[in-house]
Amino acid sequence: MHMGAKVGIRLADVRRSVKVVQASALLLVVALLSTSIILGGCTGVVNASKSAVPTTGAFQLSPAALNFGNIVVGKQSTQTVTISNPGTASLTIMQATVSNAQFTVSGMTLPMTMTSGQSANITVGVKPTAAGTLSGTLTVQGDSGSGSGTVNLTATATATNPQISLSSSSINFGSVVTGSSGSSNLTISNTGSADLTLTAVSITGTGFGVSGITTPKVITAGQSSALSLTFNPTATGAASGSLTISSSDPANPTLHVSLSGTGATAPAGTLQPNQTSLSFGNVSTGSNSVKQVVVTNAGTSPVQITAVGVTGTGFAVSGATTPMTLNASSQVTLSVTFAPTTAGNASGTVSVTSNASGSPLAIPVSGTGVQPGLTISPASFNFGSVVSGQTKSQTFTVTNSGTASLTISQLSISAVGYSVGGLSVPLPSTVAPSSSVTFSAVFAPTTAGSLTGTVNIASNAPNSPASVALSGTGVAQTQTLSFSSTNIGFGSVNTGTSATRSETIANTGNSNVQISQIVASGTGYSLSGAGAPVTLSPSQNLTFSVIFDPLTAGSASGSILVTSNATGSPTTISLTGSGVQAASHTVSLSWVASTTSTVTAYNVYRSTITGSGYVKVGSASGLSYTDSTVQNATTYYYVTTAVDSIGDESIYSNEAAAVIP
């Protein structure tokens, strides 16, 4: 188009010494040329969006750090770490390791597969071997795609020391007939936190003796050992002595126990026991322990025994039928039984009633009833909703909360959809006091609906059989797909170019869907990122690109066929579009010459905004210029300037516009 108005062109005031160019008015003329060009060949395909990466499982560890606090060297302490799968796909735990050998990990069988939403517990323990600060790392490694996780481990190992404790600091044997023997026991206990070593045991004093321990003797922390002391007087009268015990206790390396007794002439008819007391120690409830005591007539005359009895819960005595006569130097053996029915300490006295001096003869008896205890955590569990054909497991911990060994003889369940197993040791399993074992229950429904079950645990604990209530709901499988569009329209696309649309397929069911085929048909249509076969887990998406690349003008139709095991398969997505031939445009500019003789050239400027934003697009020595770099559907605004021989420019000419269709 030609612009009829004329405008003057003058030199811009660039610098003070610049010569002014006098230019006559320029007339800027714009001509729009359209040429239809058919482009052969194919252009590159550009994807509108990348295909979505299927969501994979990713596990989490909780807590992220464990601090065991202060632990005595050689002692064991445990804590629990939970592994959970919050993702939407199953994953497999391949390995669990600790970086410090003083830490241990247990309670899981590897490899372990975890479904979406599942969690499991593992046990981390520490048993320090020397005092100081311990640190380590628990590293759990998953399969490809699920990565790894770590838990920082810390503990402080404290120094240990033994500590000796004696049941008595003095022992008086009382009157013992010369030529016979009196006895007593002394208990040595280690109440410290390290092994106690008895390095020497010696005794002084006429008639006193010691036996039962050979040195060096090691007593572990919390344990005890007994000494047998005897008094065998050879003459009448008072006697004294001392028992000396040397040990590794740094606070009390040497202890002394004073000993005393009196040698006496045997009176006529005197009963003398070979033990002055009986200690049964720990005895499990429901069982019994038997000890014997020998009663001797140390006198010179027969003794009439009229009664033998015992006091104290759980104690019984036998071996003597009364009334009976015990001649001089004769003996009777009494059997004392301790059969506790409840846990706890018990004490009593065996009494022998007779016509002997000092009747009744009293022999103290003591013992402790112990029994196992069985606690289960958690005591019940609801598996929630589980799709038929899938499984969900839960770990349970059985702890011996009693004072005697717990024996688990049977672990069973009888319920549809449930199974149980996984005890860390074969049955029967013996669990020490304060120790634990684990088992797992699995819910694998085959039908829809609410299902319940009960795990029964038979043991020697008082609450046997113990039970764990299980519940869950079976959910029927659904396999459905949804499509972001089932009718994709591309509109008009220039031949030789391409247009791209995005399509998303989502698994809206609760079970995996196998897509076996995604195929496009129709001239000019193709797919990108639609690889098949592919499996979509519940809530997982597959996004791919649909490309229309027309080679000729005209309408074109096609379709995408998606074949799967979902309900309603196969699904057809219709495709429509039109190929159109592209037009190429140029803009031809011309202007009136400047009247200034020093003008040597003209510069051409262009903007897409009227009145500003001009950018130089070229120069001309003559009075015309062709711009072939224009884009379709754009309006351009042009101006020119005159340039003299030293490069100075005039002001802009008038503005001319060109509209590109």
Side-chain angles (χ1 to χ4, degrees), residues 131-325:
T133 300
L134 303 180
S135 63
T137 303
L138 165 65
T139 301
V140 179
Q141 181 67 49
D143 55 6
S144 175
S146 60
S148 63
T150 59
V151 177
N152 293 324
L153 311 175
T154 56
T156 301
T158 58
T160 59
N161 285 313
Q163 183 176 353
I164 191 170
S165 176
L166 303 180
S167 59
S168 178
S169 60
S170 63
I171 295 177
N172 187 344
F173 290 88
S175 294
V176 179
V177 175
T178 57
S180 62
S181 176
S183 63
S184 182
N185 291 329
L186 177 71
T187 300
I188 304 174
S189 301
N190 180 3
T191 58
S193 55
D195 288 349
L196 173 71
T197 301
L198 304 182
T199 56
V201 176
S202 61
I203 197 167
T204 61
T206 302
F208 295 101
V210 61
S211 63
I213 286 182
T214 301
T215 58
K217 168 73 173 179
V218 176
I219 303 176
T220 58
Q223 299 300 309
S224 301
S225 186
L227 278 176
S228 295
L229 300 171
T230 58
F231 177 43
N232 300 285
T234 58
T236 60
S240 62
S242 178
L243 172 69
T244 301
I245 302 172
S246 300
S247 72
S248 60
D249 183 345
N252 297 289
T254 303
L255 293 178
H256 300 282
V257 179
S258 61
L259 306 176
S260 60
T262 302
T265 302
T270 301
L271 296 181
Q272 184 175 333
N274 67 335
Q275 298 185 69
T276 58
S277 64
L278 293 178
S279 177
F280 289 85
N282 292 336
V283 179
S284 297
T285 59
S287 63
N288 65 78
S289 176
V290 179
K291 291 182 178 294
Q292 293 180 331
V293 59
V294 178
V295 178
T296 303
N297 182 355
T300 57
S301 302
V303 172
Q304 302 296 318
I305 299 176
T306 57
V308 176
V310 64
T311 61
T313 302
F315 295 100
V317 62
S318 62
T321 302
T322 58
M324 67 175 296
T325 299

Side-chain angles (χ1 to χ4, degrees), residues 318-582:
S318 62
T321 302
T322 58
M324 67 175 296
T325 299
L326 191 63
N327 295 321
S329 300
S330 296
Q331 299 176 332
V332 61
T333 300
L334 303 179
S335 294
V336 183
T337 302
F338 179 44
T341 57
T342 59
N345 295 326
S347 61
T349 302
V350 174
S351 298
V352 180
T353 304
S354 68
N355 63 348
S357 60
S359 179
L361 173 66
I363 304 171
V365 293
S366 62
T368 301
V370 294
Q371 68 180 15
L374 188 150
T375 59
I376 308 170
S377 178
S380 62
F381 188 76
N382 188 335
F383 287 89
S385 296
V386 178
V387 176
S388 176
Q390 299 181 6
T391 62
K392 185 176 182 181
S393 64
Q394 169 65 25
T395 300
F396 296 85
T397 300
V398 178
T399 301
N400 181 356
S401 55
T403 53
S405 294
L406 170 69
T407 300
I408 300 175
S409 57
Q410 188 177 35
L411 183 70
S412 63
I413 187 171
S414 56
V416 176
Y418 294 95
S419 61
V420 65
L423 264 179
S424 56
V425 291
L427 294 177
S429 173
T430 300
V431 185
S434 301
S435 296
S436 302
V437 293
T438 61
F439 69 90
S440 60
V442 178
F443 182 39
T446 57
T447 59
S450 177
L451 299 172
T452 60
T454 301
V455 178
N456 294 311
I457 304 173
S459 70
N460 63 337
N463 59 335
S464 178
S467 62
V468 178
L470 305 177
S471 60
T473 302
V475 179
Q477 285 188 350
T478 59
Q479 293 170 308
T480 56
L481 294 178
S482 68
F483 297 81
S484 59
S485 177
T486 57
N487 190 344
I488 301 176
F490 288 87
S492 296
V493 179
N494 290 336
T495 58
T497 65
S498 65
T500 303
R501 300 289 185 269
S502 178
E503 175 70 17
T504 299
I505 304 175
N507 182 353
T508 55
N510 59 22
S511 301
N512 290 347
V513 173
Q514 286 77 40
I515 299 176
S516 57
Q517 190 178 50
I518 305 176
V519 179
S521 61
T523 302
Y525 294 101
S526 62
L527 304 177
S528 176
V534 63
T535 299
L536 296 183
S537 59
S539 301
Q540 187 178 357
N541 297 336
L542 171 65
T543 299
F544 59 91
S545 298
V546 185
I547 304 164
F548 180 40
D549 184 12
L551 298 179
T552 60
S555 298
S557 62
S559 64
I560 301 172
L561 184 68
V562 180
T563 305
S564 69
N565 64 342
T567 303
S569 177
T571 298
T572 300
I573 303 172
S574 62
L575 308 174
T576 58
S578 296
V580 295
Q581 291 184 340

